[in-house]
């Protein structure tokens, strides 16, 4: 399954593989987005990780940047056109349309599907826009809808993006055509990306739909990141000589210097975090960014004790944060030595279930009653927030520690230079002493030789007088 731009021919590669997950056509909200939950009895105090980001920014929130379009193609099996376009629809201030190649685009025996920016040639020069989108083909069986997700930055030369090999034509007759009507559903989430702090990407139903598919991937990203930073700290602590030297260095620093070195401007840390995790064409980037967004809010709430729009989280279930958010600054929540040991030794959550067993993370279909789905989805969203907070804490601690470590290495280098200078001075003094001793010996030898020579001369004179 390939994601490809028609104009540029840029290949993304295997987006999901040949065994893409499957769900149902016109009932997408029921089987994938869990809309039947969202439209049920509303909560009077939704947790903050369940909001749409409307409290954070005066601009449009994700729900206002989301669009959905269903296109039913009549008499599809009799269609002879090489390509077909849907009616334009709006999402996030842009006009979009679905482009389909019934017999394949540059490929044979496949249905090709693309999402395109309408009237792209009329947009202002230099325009570009990130969008995450899902295209699905409906099926009579609610569990067999064919779908694919991707994240793409649309611009002048890549104003169309999609899948050349969306599905094999031979499978069309397997419930995808109903009275010779092919139903194509597009969901488009336009993203207002930021560079200075994590941002909310996805409106709630669409986020929940994607979360049920990619939660295992998110957990793997979290684990890799945390374990990578933990291993560096563990190596430091396990090196007894280096660790004792670092401890001695830190304890010798005055209180005011420790305070200054234990802090960092939040925009410095958050910019690095956003750049690291918001990766173009990485479909999980938006969920990770949502995780960091709500994780930051959770951290701010824990540190400042703010009152949110109701019950934010069961804070007693969370461990005390390793860093505090103090105005525009990240500050260590305790002594750096204790925090480093905690970060290196604190166990990670239990390993995720295997894809075979983790239905909530790997399937867009319902898993039991609506009540069970609700509990599962809310649990996963809470975990998403916890992952985001842990990533922020780990990175902030590692970043602040790296600054302290630089100072430590400079102190070690300075001490070593002082030792080398002292050794050179001592060696110079020793050399001077040895040279002085050699000079004294030489003088004694000269005097002794001169004395012997004088004796010989005297003897010669005595012999001459006797003769």
């Amino acid at each position: 399954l390939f994601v490809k731009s028609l104009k540029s021919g840029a290949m993304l590669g295997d987006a999901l593989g040949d065994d893409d997950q499957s769900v149902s056509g016109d009932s997408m909200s029921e089987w994938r987005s869990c809309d039947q939950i969202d439209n049920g009895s509303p909560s009077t105090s939704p947790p903050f990780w369940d909001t749409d980001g409307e409290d954070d920014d005066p601009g449009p929130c994700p729900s206002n940047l989301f669009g959905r379009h269903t296109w039913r193609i009549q008499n599809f099996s009799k269609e002879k056109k090489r390509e077909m376009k849907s009616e334009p629809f709006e999402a996030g201030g842009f006009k979009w349309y679905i482009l389909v190649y019934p017999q394949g685009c540059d490929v044979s025996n496949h249905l090709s599907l693309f999402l395109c920016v309408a009237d792209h040639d009329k947009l202002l020069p230099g325009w570009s826009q990130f969008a995450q989108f899902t295209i699905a083909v409906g099926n009579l069986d609610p569990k067999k809808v064919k779908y694919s997700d991707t994240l793409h930055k649309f611009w002048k030369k890549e104003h169309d993006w999609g899948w050349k090999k969306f599905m094999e034509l031979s499978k069309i007759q397997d419930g995808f055509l109903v009275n010779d009507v092919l139903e194509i559903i597009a969901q488009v989430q336009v993203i207002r990306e930021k560079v200075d702090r994590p941002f909310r990407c996805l409106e709630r139903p669409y986020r929940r739909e994607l979360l049920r598919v990619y939660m295992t991937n998110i957990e793997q990203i979290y684990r890799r990141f945390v374990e990578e930073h933990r291993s560096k700290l563990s190596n430091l602590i396990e090196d007894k000589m280096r660790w004792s030297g670092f401890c001695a260095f830190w304890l010798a620093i005055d209180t005011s210097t420790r305070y200054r070195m234990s802090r960092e401007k939040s925009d410095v840390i958050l910019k690095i975090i956003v750049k690291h995790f918001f990766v173009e064409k990485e479909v999980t980037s938006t969920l990770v960014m949502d995780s960091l967004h709500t994780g930051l809010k959770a951290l701010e709430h824990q540190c400042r004790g703010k009152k949110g729009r109701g019950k934010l989280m069961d804070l007693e279930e969370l461990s005390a944060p390793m860093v505090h958010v103090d105005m525009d600054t990240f500050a260590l929540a305790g002594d750096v030595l204790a925090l480093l040991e905690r970060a290196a030794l604190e166990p990670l959550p239990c390993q995720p279930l295997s894809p075979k067993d983790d239905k909530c993370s790997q399937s867009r279909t319902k898993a039991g009653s609506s009540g069970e789905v609700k509990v599962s989805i809310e649990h996963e969203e809470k975990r998403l927030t916890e992952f985001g907070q842990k990533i922020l804490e780990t990175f902030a601690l590692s970043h602040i520690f790296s600054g302290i470590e630089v100072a430590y290495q400079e102190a070690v280098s300075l001490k070593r230079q002082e030792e080398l200078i002292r050794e050179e001075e001592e060696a110079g003094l020793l050399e001077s002493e040895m040279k002085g001793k050699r000079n004294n010996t030489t003088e004694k030898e000269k005097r002794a030789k001169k004395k012997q020579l004088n004796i010989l001369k005297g003897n010669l004179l005595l012999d001459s007088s006797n003769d």
Side-chain angles (χ1 to χ4, degrees), residues 66 85 102 114 145 160 224 290 315 330 352 355 394 412 420 435:
F66 180 80
K85 297 180 180 179
F114 301 89
V145 165
D160 42 33
R224 282 197 302 268
D290 276 9
L315 296 181
F330 277 98
T394 301
V412 170
L420 289 174
K435 187 176 181 179

Side-chain angles (χ1 to χ4, degrees), residues 306-356:
K306 283 186 173 181
K307 298 297 182 181
R309 294 173 51 194
K311 181 182 178 182
L312 299 187
M313 295 186 78
D314 294 328
L315 296 181
E316 65 274 8
E317 296 180 11
L318 297 176
S319 57
M322 293 186 290
V323 296
H324 289 157
V325 183
D326 182 13
M327 298 297 289
D328 60 348
T329 303
F330 277 98
L332 297 184
D335 183 73
V336 66
L337 302 179
L339 291 174
L340 291 175
E341 290 182 330
R342 172 184 163 187
L345 303 174
E346 192 173 60
L348 292 175
C350 298
Q351 290 289 342
L353 298 173
S354 67
K356 180 179 178 181

Side-chain angles (χ1 to χ4, degrees), residues 241-253 337 341 408:
M241 183 175 296
R242 186 179 167 208
W243 177 242
S244 62
F246 179 80
C247 292
F249 161 77
W250 181 252
L251 294 174
I253 297 176
L337 302 179
E341 290 182 330
Y408 166 63

Side-chain angles (χ1 to χ4, degrees), residues 21 80 173 208 239 253 258 296 313 319 354 411 452:
Q21 305 296 326
K80 302 300 182 184
Q173 299 298 331
R208 287 186 165 191
D239 187 336
I253 297 176
R258 283 195 215 175
L296 180 59
M313 295 186 78
S319 57
S354 67
Q452 290 178 352

Side-chain angles (χ1 to χ4, degrees), residues 17-192:
D18 295 333
D19 57 344
D20 283 6
Q21 305 296 326
S22 299
V23 279
S24 162
D26 194 31
S27 56
M28 293 281 283
S29 61
E30 178 185 356
W31 289 95
R32 305 175 60 204
S33 305
C34 303
D35 278 352
Q36 79 278 11
I37 298 169
D38 301 330
N39 296 331
S41 300
S43 171
T44 56
S45 57
F48 70 89
W49 40 260
D50 202 24
T51 64
D52 196 26
E54 62 271 17
D55 297 334
D56 307 308
D57 198 313
C61 58
S63 60
N64 296 328
L65 300 172
F66 180 80
R68 174 190 171 89
H69 182 69
T70 300
W71 181 24
R72 295 178 177 86
I73 305 176
Q74 307 288 333
N75 302 314
F76 181 81
S77 63
K78 301 181 180 66
E79 189 57 59
K80 302 300 182 184
K81 295 179 182 178
R82 180 177 181 271
E83 65 178 54
M84 303 175 67
K85 297 180 180 179
S86 73
E87 290 294 321
F89 63 96
E90 186 174 349
F94 287 80
K95 291 288 187 180
W96 310 82
Y97 66 86
I98 305 168
L99 178 63
V100 60
Y101 287 79
Q103 301 301 319
C105 174
D106 299 332
V107 295
S108 58
N109 303 318
H110 282 83
L111 180 71
S112 301
L113 283 172
F114 301 89
L115 178 69
C116 310
V117 178
D119 300 327
H120 60 87
D121 53 337
K122 298 180 182 178
L123 297 175
L124 294 174
W127 73 273
S128 65
Q129 182 59 62
F130 271 107
Q132 178 139 354
F133 65 94
T134 297
I135 293 183
V137 175
N139 193 291
L140 273 174
D141 186 343
K143 298 181 180 180
K144 289 186 178 180
V145 165
K146 179 74 172 179
Y147 68 87
S148 288
D149 317 289
T150 191
L151 172 67
H152 181 63
K153 186 176 185 178
F154 289 87
W155 62 294
K156 180 180 179 180
K157 293 186 178 180
E158 290 185 358
H159 54 79
D160 42 33
W161 198 255
W163 295 264
K164 284 195 169 184
K165 294 183 177 181
F166 186 86
M167 65 182 299
E168 296 178 13
L169 289 175
S170 60
K171 297 180 179 179
I172 288 287
Q173 299 298 331
D174 185 18
F176 291 97
L177 281 181
V178 181
N179 297 325
D180 207 21
V181 174
L182 186 72
E183 183 178 73
I184 303 173
I185 306 100
Q187 297 183 91
V188 182
Q189 177 71 71
V190 170
I191 297 167
R192 293 176 61 231

Side-chain angles (χ1 to χ4, degrees), residues 228-238 243 339-341 343-344 394 397-398 401:
E228 177 185 349
H229 286 77
R230 279 175 48 137
S231 65
K232 295 178 182 178
L233 300 179
S234 297
N235 291 337
L236 168 64
I237 294 173
E238 290 172 2
W243 177 242
L339 291 174
L340 291 175
E341 290 182 330
T394 301
L397 173 62
S398 297
F401 165 69

